[in-house]
Amino acid sequence: MADKNDGEDKDTASEKKGVHDEEEENITVQVVASGALSESDSDDGESPTHAVIRSQERTVSGGDIRLSSISPGAATPSDIPIQGVHFEDPERDPRILTEEDEIGDPATLLPSRTRHSSRRRRETRQEVRDTEEQPGPSQEGDVEMRPITGTFSRSRSSRRSLRDTLRAHSRRSVKRGPGESLNIMERRTLRREELNQMEQFEIKSLPFCTWLGYKISLSVSRSWQKFTESLKDFRIWGGHIREVEGNLGSGVSTYFRVLRWLLMINTLNLIVALSFITAPGLVIYYNHPEAQTVNVEYNADDKNCTNPDFFNETDTDYAEYGNILFQFLTGTGWMEKRPLYIGWYRSLNITSNNIKYRDSGCNITDDTYRCDTFKNALIENSDEREYDDKRFTNFEQLLNNFECDIQCPSTTQERSCNITCYKCGNYDCSEVNRNTAYYNLSGDAGMFDCYSPLGSEDTWGFADCQFPLINETNELGLKCSGCKREGVIYNFALAYVLVGLSYFVLSLLFIIKNMMKLFKKSAAEIVGYNPYSELVFGGWDYNIANKESAILKSKSILKSLKEELTCDDQKEKFVSTKEKVLLFLLRVFTNVLCIGAMGGVFYLYYEVYEKKEDSNPCSKEEESALTKLNYNEIIQSYGPALIVSASNVIFPIFFEVVGNVEMYQFQSTRINVTMARSFLMKLFSVVAYLYILYDTINSTQNDEDDPGKKVGWKYNCWENFIGSELYRLIIIDFAVFVVALLTTEWLRRLMVDHNRFIREKMGITEFNITKEVLDICYKQMIFWAALFFSPLVSVVAFIEIILMFYFKKISALRNVRPPEKVILNSSSSTIINIVFIISLLVVFVPIGFIIFTFKPSDKCGPFQNYDSFIEPVNAIIDKSGAFKDIILDNLKMTSVVVVIVVVTIIIIYFFYSLSSARQLTIQLLREQIKSENADKKFLIEQMKNVRNPNSSSSVIEDKIPDKRKEKKKKTSSNVGSYANPNLKNKI
Amino acid sequence: MGQGTSAYDQSELAEFQDLTYFTKREVLHVHKRFAELAPEKVKQHGRNPTLTKEEILLLPELAANPFKERILEVFSDAGDGNMNFEQFLDMMSQLSSKAPLETKIDFAFKIYDFNEDGQICENDLQKVILFLVQPAVTGATLTSDERNQVIKNKSCRVSNKKEETVLTEKEISAIVRNVINEMDMDDDGSISYLDFKHGMSKLNGFEESFKVTL
């Protein structure tokens, strides 16, 4: 495409201008060869001539360069108006220059090129005279600014289509394009000119329809722009983050950015949870009182008292405020009867006494629950059913076979009765619930409506049914007619499990999206670390708006520079074998120590849990059920969570100490090792906690008693149990966070303020970004783990993050100093993203395992009738025929997990390879620059030798003086002028 | 908007919006900040008064920056650091977080190119380093005269400081050498615009740290 393009460019241009020299070709080739510029934008509505002209104009107009693709043979030179079409040398556009120069422009210094360029310049001058509308006073002879103005003036004389102008405008070429190199006044003039021009176009010469079309598209694009811009204006916490940035530098603000980012993830989770779980849950709860009774029942008949959390349900407990608070904090008692946990939610098909029907041995497996087939089930398939051989002599009998309950008030004249029928669906007995039926015993057909939340399916059936009905074979039956599926039943179990999975998927997508952005932005980030230039050119944080921070920042730069210098020295330092061995042993020892410590903590968790188990809550019932707060109990219920949280505070400190002992050569290695250890520790503690919970609920006793049972759970509602344990962990964790904040930051600050010794020895706390970020990562892991078991944790998470943000911010502005060495700066968000992805996956493995393989408890929650949490999904897949045979077997259970993980890995890998591919390109281009520069030098040297064999002036000197003269013209507030100083000399 | 609306009407705002990276609201905010710097002047000269360098440097967002004079010099038309509102707006727009990386690199290059010869040479680099460490060594952000003094003494040494807190001349030249080693692609001993652009585009966190938000 590019070849074609430049060929045509050349042709048309040379014919127009009558220029046929080789240099022309040279230049044109270069424009297109700069690759990035050419972009196919075929415009079918235009004549070929226009296309050609436009392609040239675009080349010149810089910022929004789009070389249009021209179909072969499209250019018909004779059509092209000579007047006003000038071939523009791309060199004069600063933007193109920079693009071009990226791959080096050796030709700029060639003598032939010089000649050529000067010719170009003459032409430019000519153009200046031709077109009067040169904005700004400093236009004359200023080559840098010409191309842009040229574009617009030419667009008037040439038959540039209005659409282009409009498009160019909607893309805001003035702003985004080469306008950058003009100062604001000049840009304004350009803009006004362009607008004027557009108006002229609009008034003149256009058919009304086209004009209208343009107008509409313009206004649409404008309002869209407005909308996106107003979105940009709205950035939560922007001011706060800026404040932190100004005071503590962008490093610390990273922490707050991560918090904001987590807030977004959790808001997403919150929205999903509230709208798809809690809101429908409440609707079901209030619309179906029978569900409510069950809700209480499942605890009431909990005679064995195996669940330690259900011991204090009696209403009298609520009266105790202390108790209420206690229960709120531990997430037990009345909290369990609130939508906080999974156990509170019901699926619609659950009734108080459905257990009875489960045991009655129904196992009809086809789709008999729909009303139309319902009829068939009785009449046509009658021989296969248990009621076949029976003659229904009376109505009661019929209904009995359908497991219907009839309640008829004997005195009612019109004999209205309530009929409730049950029959078997796919999985279980489900209910066909009839409101009121009218019938008379004489056998006349009665009509009644039935509405049926049929089984676990997704339809509501409404039916007018007639009964009793006697068919040809004199069977008595129930005939439903006019059955239609109306509305959509909310399949709560399905929604629940999908939402449960979507927390992970949404978060993952969110993180990946973020990573994509980063990968795109900094393809070369991973390779090529230039510590010195990073410190010198990127070291200063322009956000800093505070003197103390400025001094600290400067100190940190100074320190880092020194460190780099000493590092360089040390690289050559020889380390003896003995030292090496000693160091190795030391590090082996410290690593063993770390692992041992983690193991120790795990053991501690376990012990505490055992203790908790031992204290049987059943005995508490006699103790007037917690009328007083039992501190022992508080400790017991909080013990494990407290240990987990505390170990998460203590261990990073411990690792830091260990890291100091290990004598790492570079500070950055030490920090990285410490960070990696803390991260592993956090992952480990979450997984260990989940494992212990699993261990607690998974009792083998039940299995021994009843070997036939699939899985025995110790708790009637183990989901609630896990949910409440995790909820408690969240609460405790937050408490620990607050305490740590108060002591390590506020208290230390107070001590520093009042005690000179401490001030000099310790100073105020340094904000350890890595530690803090890992800390919130850990918190987020618990949120993720808890979400499935208690949907309202999303609310807790939402509130907690907001509180954390403000607590941390207030404390950060008062009590901490910025870190001396920023390891995690804002652009290492790639690392942060990876950390979060790993955490997400690590949490997902156990939770996914639970969702896909565990048997839900039978006494509570929307899944009590299912064999696994994923079963509603499987049921849907079963039902939809398309999937049924092909993928059904492959798409179930664990394979889903595998698929998700694999897809994620593929996506990440894709972006990673993309970035490495770019690095390869960069490498190549770099090589090219080098070789071309060598060429350049050689040629210049040659040239000089030819001109003046005696002088030996260096290359650099040659460039500078002219450049300075140029600079004196103050009009060049122009970036482009830097782009290629060589070129300017030659012009 | 209140005050803002009276300062600029919608069409003018739209114009600014087209010309800068700001939205209308942000333009008004910048104007507010600008007006706060010298309220009397703004009252006297209408809405586009020229403020002196010193007045603009009152802005806390700039005051702490060691390169503050350089930034203003680069952006004022006359090169003396005085600027009117439009120039100020232009400057803030290019320093804002919305400005593309390239713009920022251009800007940074101009700032660091002290002698304005289109190359960042060793002298420029020395100055950059001295500017950077100067607040740490002297414990304050200095005025330009004081800074010039510091730069004259090159080592940036303040007598009573420990060796650790200063850079010796030798160290500075080592750093300069290293930076040039890292950035100089064409081996001409100084960092050209291209070298700079290439080096900066892959620099960690430059885009984040090179921005001033009002």
Side-chain angles (χ1 to χ4, degrees):
Chain A
M1 184 64 81
D3 280 351
K4 194 118 282 164
N5 216 349
D6 73 60
E8 248 128 35
D9 267 43
K10 183 193 69 184
D11 281 349
T12 45
S14 18
E15 295 218 14
K16 272 174 284 167
K17 303 289 296 175
V19 181
H20 291 278
D21 49 4
E22 291 168 19
E23 288 86 17
E24 193 78 67
E25 183 173 352
N26 257 340
I27 296 155
T28 327
V29 171
Q30 276 200 358
V31 182
V32 182
S34 56
L37 310 182
S38 67
E39 189 182 330
S40 71
D41 176 26
S42 55
D43 209 336
D44 34 28
E46 270 174 331
S47 76
T49 318
H50 273 189
V52 175
I53 293 166
R54 200 189 51 177
S55 83
Q56 288 163 7
E57 284 165 2
R58 289 290 180 81
T59 312
V60 178
S61 68
D64 294 301
I65 300 154
R66 317 188 69 178
L67 285 180
S68 56
S69 65
I70 306 154
S71 56
T76 45
S78 55
D79 283 345
I80 298 164
I82 304 286
Q83 180 232 352
V85 182
H86 305 270
F87 181 75
E88 283 285 312
D89 190 338
E91 283 168 46
R92 267 177 282 130
D93 183 281
R95 289 284 295 225
I96 297 181
L97 255 188
T98 51
E99 298 277 1
E100 195 178 53
D101 278 345
E102 197 122 50
I103 48 169
D105 187 10
T108 39
L109 288 175
L110 291 175
S112 61
R113 181 59 171 250
T114 317
R115 177 165 48 85
H116 174 68
S117 300
S118 57
R119 187 174 50 73
R120 287 270 159 282
R121 201 176 181 205
R122 280 197 302 277
E123 281 168 26
T124 316
R125 286 255 161 91
Q126 181 65 39
E127 214 174 293
V128 174
R129 259 170 268 129
D130 284 348
T131 52
E132 286 302 314
E133 302 84 351
Q134 299 307 322
S138 56
Q139 291 294 308
E140 274 291 356
D142 189 345
V143 190
E144 303 293 336
M145 264 159 44
R146 286 283 312 113
I148 311 110
T149 49
T151 311
F152 293 107
S153 48
R154 237 175 309 109
S155 66
R156 234 160 321 197
S157 47
S158 76
R159 295 182 308 194
R160 178 174 175 172
S161 71
L162 174 61
R163 191 192 295 181
D164 277 7
T165 322
L166 289 169
R167 270 204 204 141
H169 184 73
S170 67
R171 280 200 306 267
R172 293 224 243 158
S173 60
V174 179
K175 172 174 163 181
R176 298 263 150 78
E180 272 320 311
S181 54
L182 301 179
N183 73 24
I184 193 162
M185 271 91 84
E186 290 155 348
R187 271 182 280 157
R188 167 181 306 162
T189 327
L190 271 185
R191 181 180 176 273
R192 287 194 179 148
E193 215 171 281
E194 196 193 16
L195 285 176
N196 277 340
Q197 186 189 319
M198 276 167 52
E199 265 166 36
Q200 281 173 19
F201 261 112
E202 279 165 17
I203 297 162
K204 288 192 261 184
S205 77
L206 272 170
F208 178 73
C209 290
T210 345
W211 177 82
L212 194 70
Y214 291 147
K215 271 286 184 195
I216 289 171
S217 72
L218 186 69
S219 66
V220 166
S221 77
R222 280 236 174 112
S223 48
W224 174 247
Q225 221 170 55
K226 238 183 202 169
F227 175 70
T228 49
E229 244 145 37
S230 65
L231 277 187
K232 271 185 210 157
D233 272 348
F234 177 74
R235 202 73 220 261
I236 190 169
W237 289 339
H240 294 296
I241 289 177
R242 232 173 284 142
E243 199 180 340
V244 171
E245 220 163 37
N247 283 292
L248 298 162
S250 64
V252 175
S253 79
T254 309
Y255 171 81
F256 293 93
R257 276 175 214 285
V258 173
L259 265 182
R260 177 168 73 180
W261 181 67
L262 281 185
L263 184 79
M264 266 139 74
I265 289 185
N266 283 305
T267 312
L268 214 62
N269 286 345
L270 176 90
I271 293 168
V272 173
L274 288 188
S275 51
F276 292 110
I277 297 183
T278 307
L282 286 170
V283 169
I284 293 171
Y285 184 80
Y286 287 110
N287 284 348
H288 298 271
E290 74 275 3
Q292 285 176 22
T293 52
V294 179
N295 196 26
V296 183
E297 261 174 31
Y298 80 97
N299 289 327
D301 62 18
D302 188 10
K303 292 284 193 305
N304 296 328
C305 192
T306 45
N307 189 342
D309 299 316
F310 293 161
F311 53 84
N312 44 3
E313 349 266 347
T314 46
D315 284 351
T316 47
D317 283 346
Y318 299 161
E320 293 284 332
Y321 287 112
N323 219 9
I324 288 174
L325 188 68
F326 174 70
Q327 287 175 353
F328 172 73
L329 290 178
T330 53
T332 53
W334 63 271
M335 291 285 280
E336 289 194 69
K337 293 182 186 168
R338 295 295 176 275
L340 178 63
Y341 299 123
I342 184 173
W344 179 86
Y345 296 93
R346 340 252 77 218
S347 209
L348 262 183
N349 55 334
I350 294 164
T351 59
S352 53
N353 40 6
N354 60 348
I355 296 149
K356 174 180 143 200
Y357 294 100
R358 181 186 301 152
D359 298 331
S360 63
C362 303
N363 55 354
I364 301 172
T365 51
D366 61 1
D367 283 1
T368 52
Y369 46 82
R370 280 181 200 148
C371 278
D372 42 355
T373 48
F374 192 60
K375 174 185 75 178
N376 296 339
L378 182 65
I379 295 171
E380 290 174 11
N381 305 334
S382 49
D383 6 37
E384 292 160 25
R385 311 288 179 214
E386 55 178 347
Y387 43 78
D388 293 344
D389 41 355
K390 291 180 186 163
R391 288 281 174 271
F392 299 117
T393 49
N394 62 48
F395 188 62
E396 306 299 328
Q397 202 182 345
L398 165 74
L399 292 177
N400 279 340
N401 266 280
F402 275 87
E403 293 166 356
C404 291
D405 293 334
I406 310 172
Q407 293 169 331
C408 299
S410 52
T411 54
T412 313
Q413 291 225 324
E414 63 274 345
R415 294 174 184 267
S416 81
C417 296
N418 286 326
I419 304 172
T420 315
C421 291
Y422 307 94
K423 67 178 299 296
C424 297
N426 258 356
Y427 310 105
D428 225 324
C429 288
S430 38
E431 173 197 13
V432 179
N433 200 354
R434 271 149 224 179
N435 279 338
T436 310
Y438 300 93
Y439 74 100
N440 57 50
L441 282 174
S442 63
D444 291 349
M447 300 291 288
F448 66 94
D449 294 328
C450 57
Y451 80 93
S452 49
L454 293 157
S456 59
E457 299 314 323
D458 58 349
T459 51
W460 287 81
F462 282 89
D464 293 328
C465 294
Q466 288 185 316
F467 65 93
L469 181 110
I470 298 162
N471 68 359
E472 305 86 51
T473 52
N474 210 23
E475 279 174 347
L476 209 82
L478 177 75
K479 182 189 177 187
C480 292
S481 61
C483 179
K484 49 188 176 174
R485 298 160 73 181
E486 249 178 38
V488 178
I489 183 178
Y490 192 78
N491 190 336
F492 193 79
L494 180 70
Y496 198 100
V497 70
L498 287 182
V499 167
L501 291 174
S502 77
Y503 299 134
F504 291 96
V505 176
L506 286 178
S507 307
L508 191 68
L509 288 179
F510 205 84
I511 300 172
I512 286 179
K513 190 186 138 242
N514 220 25
M515 272 181 94
M516 268 163 56
K517 239 180 358 195
L518 288 167
F519 267 126
K520 269 184 209 154
K521 209 164 77 179
S522 54
E525 189 183 294
I526 304 154
V527 171
Y529 171 58
N530 289 340
Y532 286 100
S533 39
E534 190 149 316
L535 282 167
V536 171
F537 290 130
W540 189 260
D541 194 340
Y542 280 68
N543 299 298
I544 288 176
N546 166 306
K547 202 171 142 194
E548 286 83 44
S549 302
I551 290 169
L552 280 170
K553 184 76 199 174
S554 173
K555 273 185 182 158
S556 110
I557 290 174
L558 180 66
K559 210 175 163 191
S560 311
L561 280 172
K562 287 238 172 206
E563 202 174 275
E564 285 298 336
L565 285 172
T566 42
C567 280
D568 280 357
D569 291 344
Q570 277 172 2
K571 269 171 195 162
E572 289 113 45
K573 212 174 89 183
F574 177 73
V575 187
S576 73
T577 330
K578 197 182 156 196
E579 279 174 319
K580 269 185 191 164
V581 171
L582 275 178
L583 209 63
F584 178 75
L585 285 178
L586 177 74
R587 288 184 190 163
V588 167
F589 172 72
T590 47
N591 278 315
V592 168
L593 194 71
C594 291
I595 294 171
M598 282 200 226
V601 168
F602 180 67
Y603 181 72
L604 199 63
Y605 293 172
Y606 207 82
E607 276 298 297
V608 172
Y609 247 96
E610 292 284 294
K611 278 242 174 64
K612 196 186 169 193
E613 285 297 288
D614 289 346
S615 60
N616 194 343
C618 285
S619 56
K620 295 259 162 58
E621 274 177 324
E622 284 96 56
E623 294 173 14
S624 69
L626 282 174
T627 39
K628 274 180 246 165
L629 275 182
N630 190 339
Y631 289 104
N632 207 8
E633 188 178 331
I634 295 176
I635 291 167
Q636 264 169 21
S637 57
Y638 273 124
L642 205 58
I643 288 174
V644 176
S645 297
S647 64
N648 268 299
V649 172
I650 294 163
F651 265 74
I653 300 171
F654 170 68
F655 290 141
E656 218 146 274
V657 174
V658 171
N660 282 332
V661 175
E662 277 175 314
M663 299 197 290
Y664 285 106
Q665 207 170 350
F666 307 120
Q667 208 194 349
S668 50
T669 326
R670 185 176 62 76
I671 293 178
N672 285 338
V673 167
T674 310
M675 178 184 161
R677 278 185 186 146
S678 315
F679 181 50
L680 283 179
M681 157 74 197
K682 283 174 199 288
L683 290 183
F684 170 79
S685 68
V686 171
V687 173
Y689 195 75
L690 286 174
Y691 174 75
I692 285 173
L693 289 182
Y694 165 74
D695 198 63
T696 316
I697 54 165
N698 185 18
S699 80
T700 45
Q701 290 170 359
N702 283 12
D703 285 358
E704 283 162 20
D705 295 345
D706 187 2
K709 234 177 182 177
K710 206 175 169 189
V711 191
W713 300 117
K714 224 177 201 171
Y715 296 93
N716 278 338
C717 195
W718 60 268
E719 295 98 328
N720 264 19
F721 171 72
I722 291 184
S724 71
E725 290 293 316
L726 288 172
Y727 171 80
R728 205 171 299 167
L729 186 60
I730 291 169
I731 297 286
I732 273 288
D733 213 57
F734 185 65
V736 169
F737 163 80
V738 172
V739 170
L741 190 79
L742 288 178
T743 50
T744 60
E745 294 183 5
W746 286 89
L747 202 65
R748 187 155 160 189
R749 171 89 209 193
L750 280 179
M751 275 154 61
V752 166
D753 281 350
H754 292 102
N755 189 321
R756 209 164 146 240
F757 178 73
I758 295 175
R759 189 175 341 165
E760 275 159 16
K761 277 287 161 203
M762 290 164 68
I764 55 175
T765 324
E766 185 181 318
F767 195 93
N768 188 339
I769 302 167
T770 354
K771 190 174 140 262
E772 302 287 348
V773 167
L774 284 180
D775 204 45
I776 44 176
C777 173
Y778 161 73
K779 287 187 167 62
Q780 184 61 39
M781 280 203 284
I782 307 173
F783 293 150
W784 276 325
L787 272 170
F788 184 75
F789 302 104
S790 44
L792 286 192
V793 157
S794 54
V795 180
V796 177
F798 183 77
I799 295 169
E800 188 177 326
I801 284 177
I802 290 174
L803 287 180
M804 274 172 71
F805 185 92
Y806 284 105
F807 285 5
K808 264 289 177 195
K809 189 213 142 194
I810 293 166
S811 175
L813 290 181
R814 290 179 52 109
N815 306 324
V816 303
R817 62 197 159 95
E820 280 185 358
K821 176 116 184 158
V822 176
I823 290 292
L824 274 185
N825 66 18
S826 37
S827 71
S828 37
S829 354
T830 323
I831 300 173
I832 296 177
N833 278 302
I834 290 171
V835 160
F836 272 91
I837 283 205
I838 293 174
S839 330
L840 180 76
L841 292 180
V842 164
V843 173
F844 180 67
V845 168
I847 300 297
F849 186 66
I850 289 175
I851 293 177
F852 282 97
T853 60
F854 277 31
K855 164 113 179 61
S857 52
D858 349 321
K859 298 276 172 63
C860 69
F863 297 98
Q864 32 187 292
N865 294 323
Y866 294 96
D867 280 337
S868 80
F869 293 101
I870 200 69
E871 210 180 300
V873 180
N874 288 341
I876 290 287
I877 296 173
D878 281 341
K879 250 182 73 184
S880 60
F883 283 115
K884 205 163 188 176
D885 302 322
I886 316 160
I887 2 177
L888 177 64
D889 295 328
N890 303 323
L891 204 74
K892 271 186 183 171
M893 305 285 176
T894 41
S895 54
V896 177
V897 188
V898 175
V899 167
I900 291 172
V901 171
V902 166
V903 166
T904 315
I905 290 170
I906 289 172
I907 292 172
I908 293 173
Y909 180 72
F910 169 69
F911 283 107
Y912 183 75
S913 50
L914 196 74
S915 86
S916 30
R918 278 187 197 155
Q919 274 153 33
L920 200 71
T921 324
I922 289 168
Q923 207 68 40
L924 286 173
L925 290 174
R926 200 180 293 169
E927 230 91 283
Q928 211 174 331
I929 293 175
K930 281 204 169 152
S931 73
E932 272 169 354
N933 273 308
D935 284 354
K936 183 168 81 180
K937 268 185 194 162
F938 174 70
L939 286 169
I940 292 170
E941 220 46 56
Q942 290 278 317
M943 200 169 76
K944 272 184 197 137
N945 287 343
V946 170
R947 265 192 207 153
N948 186 2
N950 299 327
S951 103
S952 55
S953 60
S954 83
V955 183
I956 309 158
E957 279 169 358
D958 186 46
K959 297 174 194 166
I960 294 169
D962 285 0
K963 182 67 205 162
R964 283 210 177 125
K965 271 179 237 151
E966 295 271 350
K967 204 55 199 172
K968 291 288 181 291
K969 294 180 197 165
K970 55 191 177 180
T971 44
S972 46
S973 66
N974 187 338
V975 177
S977 61
Y978 287 104
N980 197 339
N982 306 333
L983 180 69
K984 279 198 95 174
N985 289 345
K986 300 301 167 191
I987 288 176
Chain B
M1 278 183 210
Q3 178 206 358
T5 355
S6 60
Y8 287 100
D9 65 37
Q10 282 298 317
S11 70
E12 280 170 312
L13 283 177
E15 196 167 89
F16 281 132
Q17 192 174 6
D18 276 354
L19 298 175
T20 64
Y21 295 106
F22 287 131
T23 61
K24 287 177 189 171
R25 228 180 81 186
E26 286 164 333
V27 170
L28 288 173
H29 178 70
V30 172
H31 184 259
K32 201 178 120 213
R33 296 294 306 270
F34 183 78
E36 281 166 9
L37 291 173
E40 310 84 45
K41 245 187 191 176
V42 175
K43 234 175 240 169
Q44 271 177 21
H45 298 277
R47 51 194 201 181
N48 202 7
T50 303
L51 298 196
T52 63
K53 183 154 91 179
E54 287 71 29
E55 281 167 328
I56 293 171
L57 286 183
L58 290 176
L59 206 69
E61 281 84 352
L62 286 177
N65 196 314
F67 302 106
K68 52 189 177 184
E69 288 97 353
R70 226 11 241 155
I71 299 176
L72 294 194
E73 277 163 25
V74 165
F75 248 88
S76 57
D77 270 4
D80 56 0
N82 302 339
M83 46 174 65
N84 60 20
F85 172 65
E86 286 180 1
Q87 290 164 344
F88 182 77
L89 184 74
D90 201 16
M91 174 176 83
M92 291 328 286
S93 139
Q94 297 197 27
L95 275 172
S96 77
S97 53
K98 286 179 201 161
L101 182 60
E102 269 187 35
T103 313
K104 287 183 177 176
I105 291 176
D106 292 342
F107 198 175
F109 185 80
K110 280 191 268 183
I111 291 173
Y112 297 140
D113 180 17
F114 282 85
N115 55 10
E116 303 190 349
D117 62 352
Q119 305 269 334
I120 297 182
C121 57
E122 293 194 14
N123 264 335
D124 291 330
L125 267 174
Q126 275 181 357
K127 276 192 188 173
V128 173
I129 295 164
L130 287 171
F131 271 50
L132 276 174
V133 299
Q134 166 265 321
V137 176
T138 56
T141 341
L142 303 182
T143 65
S144 54
D145 290 342
E146 289 167 318
R147 202 197 306 277
N148 286 335
Q149 198 59 39
V150 172
I151 287 157
K152 241 184 210 167
N153 298 336
K154 267 205 180 159
S155 68
C156 202
R157 198 192 301 272
V158 174
S159 54
N160 58 352
K161 294 275 173 177
K162 279 178 285 173
E163 189 67 18
E164 258 184 36
T165 57
V166 298
L167 284 176
T168 62
E169 203 159 328
K170 206 176 128 211
E171 281 172 327
I172 291 181
S173 57
I175 296 168
V176 167
R177 233 184 7 256
N178 278 316
V179 174
I180 291 185
N181 264 348
E182 284 172 359
M183 301 274 274
D184 189 19
M185 287 285 155
D186 48 8
D187 292 330
D188 59 357
S190 64
I191 299 165
S192 66
Y193 173 74
L194 263 183
D195 293 335
F196 188 75
K197 190 177 159 191
H198 187 87
M200 295 310 270
S201 56
K202 62 175 193 175
L203 215 61
N204 255 337
F206 170 71
E207 203 171 358
E208 299 298 318
S209 63
F210 194 84
K211 65 172 199 276
V212 175
T213 326
L214 282 185

